[in-house]
């Protein structure tokens, strides 16, 4: 399912507009249209702070919202929307939306480990970014390219991610088991320029207003100490990929 009006069919676009108008008419706030944050414990296991810029690669549905949340997360130096899980030849939006390329819409996060840890990024990912119990979908978006996944770049990241999933499942913080897949990153391919900084550039687009802006609000409420009002945009980031 495509989200931008550039790629939505007329019927889907009118449907999205109708939802927006209906919400306005009924005085429903955007937060009610999105999933609520789940309050979860911090991971027991985490990576050591270390030196230098570190990278986390996360997939949790439409990358617009995932990128938007982490761009408002203090300690994140850059968050780039892209594709992982498939080949370079098919790493483009038109092809991955068929669901046949093996890719997932993914965000590559560059962060300062002395300001935010890998485990804290995972806590935000599982709490406010998406619902990790939904298999091959997030909200209205359906397909394997919207799957929940953690692509790791070290054995240490893999251990932390798997231990945290086991911890959350054991604590039964969700009504259903977590379906997030953990596996090594083979390659990350940045998405097209028009996908970058999408949440900030298009705050009034119905999909963003209904499904993604509430996630940023949840970040502000649940992780206030890690929230920054000014987003770190790809177009302005000092750390490149």
């Amino acid at each position: 399912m495509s989200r931008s009006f550039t790629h939505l069919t007329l019927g889907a676009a009118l449907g999205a507009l109708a939802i927006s108008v209906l919400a306005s008419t009924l005085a429903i706030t955007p937060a009610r249209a999105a999933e609520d944050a789940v309050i979860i414990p911090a991971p027991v296991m985490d990576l050591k702070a270390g030196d230098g810029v570190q990278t986390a690669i996360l997939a949790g549905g439409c990358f617009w919202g995932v990128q938007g949340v982490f761009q408002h997360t203090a300690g994140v130096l850059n968050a780039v929307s892209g594709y992982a899980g498939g080949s370079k030849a098919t790493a483009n939006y038109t092809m991955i939306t068929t669901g046949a390329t093996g890719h997932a819409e993914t965000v590559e996060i560059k962060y300062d480990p002395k300001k935010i840890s890998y485990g804290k990024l995972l806590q935000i990912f599982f709490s406010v970014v998406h619902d990790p119990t939904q298999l091959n979908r997030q909200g209205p978006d359906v397909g394997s390219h919207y799957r929940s996944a953690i692509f790791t770049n070290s054995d240490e990241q893999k251990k932390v991610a798997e231990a945290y999933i086991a911890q959350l499942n054991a604590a039964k913080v969700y009504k259903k088991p977590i379906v997030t897949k953990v596996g090594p990153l083979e390659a990350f391919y940045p998405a097209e320029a028009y996908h970058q900084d999408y949440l900030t550039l298009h705050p009034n687009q119905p999909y963003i207003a209904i499904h993604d802006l509430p996630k940023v609000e949840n970040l502000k409420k649940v992780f206030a100490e890690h929230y920054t009002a000014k987003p770190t945009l790809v177009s302005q980031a000092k750390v490149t990929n």
Side-chain angles (χ1 to χ4, degrees), residues 176-189:
K176 297 183 294 182
I178 294 172
V179 298
T180 306
K181 297 295 184 182
V182 179
L185 176 74
E186 295 185 1
F188 172 82
Y189 307 102

Side-chain angles (χ1 to χ4, degrees), residues 44-150:
V44 173
M45 181 186 297
D46 205 343
L47 297 181
K48 294 181 180 179
D51 295 315
V53 176
Q54 301 296 317
T55 305
I57 305 98
L58 307 174
C62 172
F63 45 28
W64 294 344
V66 181
Q67 181 191 50
V69 169
F70 286 114
Q71 287 183 324
H72 281 278
T73 301
V76 170
L77 306 174
N78 200 8
V80 178
S81 291
Y83 313 111
S87 70
K88 181 178 180 179
T90 56
N92 64 77
Y93 190 65
T94 300
M95 296 191 73
I96 74 102
T97 53
T98 66
T101 69
H103 295 92
E105 290 197 12
T106 306
V107 174
E108 180 188 66
I109 302 159
K110 300 286 187 179
Y111 67 98
D112 182 346
K114 293 185 177 180
K115 295 182 178 179
I116 190 167
S117 71
Y118 182 71
K120 182 58 66 174
L121 292 174
L122 293 185
Q123 187 180 12
I124 292 170
F125 175 67
F126 284 121
S127 174
V128 306
V129 169
H130 79 311
D131 179 353
T133 70
Q134 292 191 25
L135 181 64
N136 292 334
R137 70 172 299 161
Q138 280 299 310
D141 300 322
V142 181
S144 61
H145 48 299
Y146 295 117
R147 66 187 180 272
S148 174
I150 299 171

Side-chain angles (χ1 to χ4, degrees), residues 10 85 132 136 158 198:
L10 179 59
N136 292 334
K158 184 174 183 291
Y198 199 91

Side-chain angles (χ1 to χ4, degrees), residues 41-47 119 160 163-165 167-168:
V44 173
M45 181 186 297
D46 205 343
L47 297 181
V160 170
Y164 194 31
I165 290 173
Q167 176 189 338
L168 294 177

